[in-house]
Amino acid sequence: MSRTSRHRGAGSANAGTNAGKSAEPALIIAAHGRHYVVELADGTRMHAFPRGKKSDSAVGDHVSVELAAADQCVITRVQARKNLLHRSDQFKSKLLAANIDQVIIVLATEPGFSEDLLGRALVSAEALEIRPLIVLNKTDLPERLEEARRRLALYRELGYDTLELSVRADPDQALGALQPRLAGLSSILIGQSGMGKSSLLNLLIPGVDAQTREISAKLDSGKHTTTFTRLYHLPADWGTVDGRQGALIDSPGFQEFGLYHLSEGMLERAFPEFRPRLTECRFYNCHHTNEPGCGVLAAVASGAIAERRHQLYAQLLHESSQQKPW
Ligand SMILES: Nc1nc2c(ncn2[C@@H]2O[C@H](COP(=O)(O)OP(=O)(O)OP(=O)(O)O)[C@@H](O)[C@H]2O)c(=O)[nH]1
Ligand SMILES: [Mg+2]
Ligand SMILES: [Zn+2]
């Protein structure tokens, strides 16, 4: 994400195997299927597409591009990535974003949030050892606030950082709470539609003007307002942390969060409350579903592990064991 090299093309542009053609480093800032927008080192933005049939890069990826037309380039190489967040079901695997430091799971009092999706989002972050942050938005709507708090109590007990805020009623408090948690990091906003992800983005990064539901209602473009994943640099006046400015990625709301790609070994470790129990199991290859002498099941029986967390684990284990064509 270095924005220091202002003289693109000079010196290293012909390095690598593409002598003659000039390959340039770029950052993917938007993705919609096979259609990408990249940002070059000097800040220039261009449309880009993958060379082959497969689109195997995601927002946040550092890539090499070659100019294909006046305002279009082709992605020739994806640099090694720190991590890659994705969702998957029986039929396909969908890339969400790469090189992420923090997953911000946005929930709201109204419309009510799905605890199943929250659990899955947490597992996906844990599996990649990415720090999750839970945000409960719309605390200005009092009817369902207590219910939302009650449902979130378990996740607070598990040690997850959980913030309450209202973009609409108290934007200053929201900004004050989020700015220090975001500065210098690359964070992604994920969650169901209508929770307020784009509203948060608009608050945090003035001038972005991301579409929120009001705007899309005016434009009559339907219910889901954000249709593609998009990276925004954090404001320059937030300063840098370890030389990094940080970024915030907005993503479209989802209704399902399949994790068919996670292995059994990743799953058992993605539940932090399971971890200290794993050494207590009688069998080294225990699945923690119905084995005798299982430390996890003993903790469920005693109430130390919540039944609904174990149910989610069992469901994810089932998904993980399915045949996947991809
Ligand atoms: N009452 C209240 N409404 C809010 C608040 N924040 C956002 N909203 C409203 O919630 C609706 C959905 O907000 P969006 O920001 O579009 O939600 P989103 O999560 O980006 O939704 P998708 O793009 O569909 O995934 C809009 O009508 C917002 O004005 C809040 O703090 N309080
Ligand atoms: Mg949105
Ligand atoms: Zn076990």
Side-chain angles (χ1 to χ4, degrees):
M1 236 186 288
S2 160
R3 312 185 98 210
T4 51
S5 85
R6 314 229 45 101
H7 306 287
R8 70 186 174 91
S12 63
N14 286 340
T17 51
N18 294 303
K21 280 210 171 177
S22 85
E24 286 199 52
L27 171 70
I28 298 188
I29 59 165
H32 189 71
R34 283 171 47 80
H35 185 179
Y36 295 94
V37 179
V38 296
E39 187 179 83
L40 305 180
D42 68 355
T44 311
R45 287 167 184 187
M46 278 198 188
H47 293 285
F49 53 89
R51 179 140 65 185
K53 279 217 168 83
K54 268 184 100 176
S55 32
D56 51 5
S57 41
V59 169
D61 259 328
H62 295 280
V63 296
S64 298
V65 295
E66 282 173 17
L67 206 60
D71 62 344
Q72 213 174 53
C73 52
V74 53
I75 299 167
T76 55
R77 198 170 154 233
V78 184
Q79 308 290 347
R81 42 172 82 105
K82 183 163 80 177
N83 54 41
L84 177 64
L85 197 61
H86 55 139
R87 288 159 39 201
S88 56
D89 58 22
Q90 272 152 301
F91 311 107
K92 59 182 188 312
S93 161
K94 191 172 167 2
L95 309 184
L96 268 175
N99 300 314
I100 299 297
D101 301 310
Q102 177 168 246
V103 173
I104 305 177
I105 304 165
V106 185
L107 310 172
T109 50
E110 186 81 62
F113 64 87
S114 152
E115 202 175 326
D116 176 64
L117 290 175
L118 166 61
R120 286 166 181 269
L122 288 170
V123 165
S124 75
E126 291 277 358
L128 296 176
E129 296 178 28
I130 300 175
R131 174 173 20 161
L133 168 64
I134 301 172
V135 169
L136 177 66
N137 183 28
K138 310 197 196 183
T139 54
D140 55 298
L141 302 174
E143 299 91 69
R144 296 181 70 179
L145 180 57
E146 283 316 313
E147 183 199 338
R149 281 183 176 148
R150 193 172 40 73
R151 294 168 75 207
L152 279 178
L154 168 61
Y155 302 90
R156 282 189 202 271
E157 279 163 29
L158 289 174
Y160 289 115
D161 192 7
T162 307
L163 272 182
E164 289 188 2
L165 51 86
S166 167
V167 175
R168 183 172 294 173
D170 199 348
D172 290 342
Q173 180 267 337
L175 188 61
L178 283 169
Q179 185 170 337
R181 286 176 164 89
L182 266 63
L185 300 179
S186 182
S187 305
I188 182 168
L189 298 163
I190 65 169
Q192 289 156 266
S193 191
M195 301 284 116
K197 297 180 293 299
S198 301
S199 305
L200 260 175
L201 175 89
N202 285 332
L203 168 74
L204 294 164
I205 310 185
V208 155
D209 217 12
Q211 278 205 8
T212 59
R213 192 165 286 187
E214 287 84 12
I215 301 171
S216 87
K218 274 185 211 140
L219 298 174
D220 199 25
S221 58
K223 218 169 127 202
H224 291 257
T225 49
T226 304
T227 52
F228 56 91
T229 307
R230 171 85 203 253
L231 178 148
Y232 302 86
H233 297 287
L234 294 179
D237 62 10
W238 286 21
T240 57
V241 177
D242 299 330
R244 297 175 62 204
Q245 186 183 343
L248 187 58
I249 299 171
D250 192 14
S251 71
F254 50 73
Q255 266 152 50
E256 278 176 70
F257 204 124
L259 293 171
Y260 282 63
H261 57 284
L262 296 184
S263 68
E264 180 171 353
M266 286 166 111
L267 280 175
E268 65 179 15
R269 303 207 59 78
F271 287 78
E273 70 271 49
F274 287 18
R275 281 178 214 147
R277 312 285 176 170
L278 298 175
T279 51
E280 296 168 8
C281 298
R282 186 181 306 160
F283 304 112
Y284 79 95
N285 58 350
C286 184
H287 303 297
H288 327 299
T289 49
N290 53 21
E291 292 79 2
C294 169
V296 172
L297 290 173
V300 175
S302 76
I305 288 179
E307 190 112 28
R308 60 194 203 269
R309 292 279 289 169
H310 185 261
Q311 279 165 6
L312 174 63
Y313 164 77
Q315 174 59 32
L316 293 176
L317 192 63
H318 169 73
E319 292 178 12
S320 159
S321 69
Q322 300 299 300
Q323 286 246 336
K324 287 147 269 199
W326 39 268

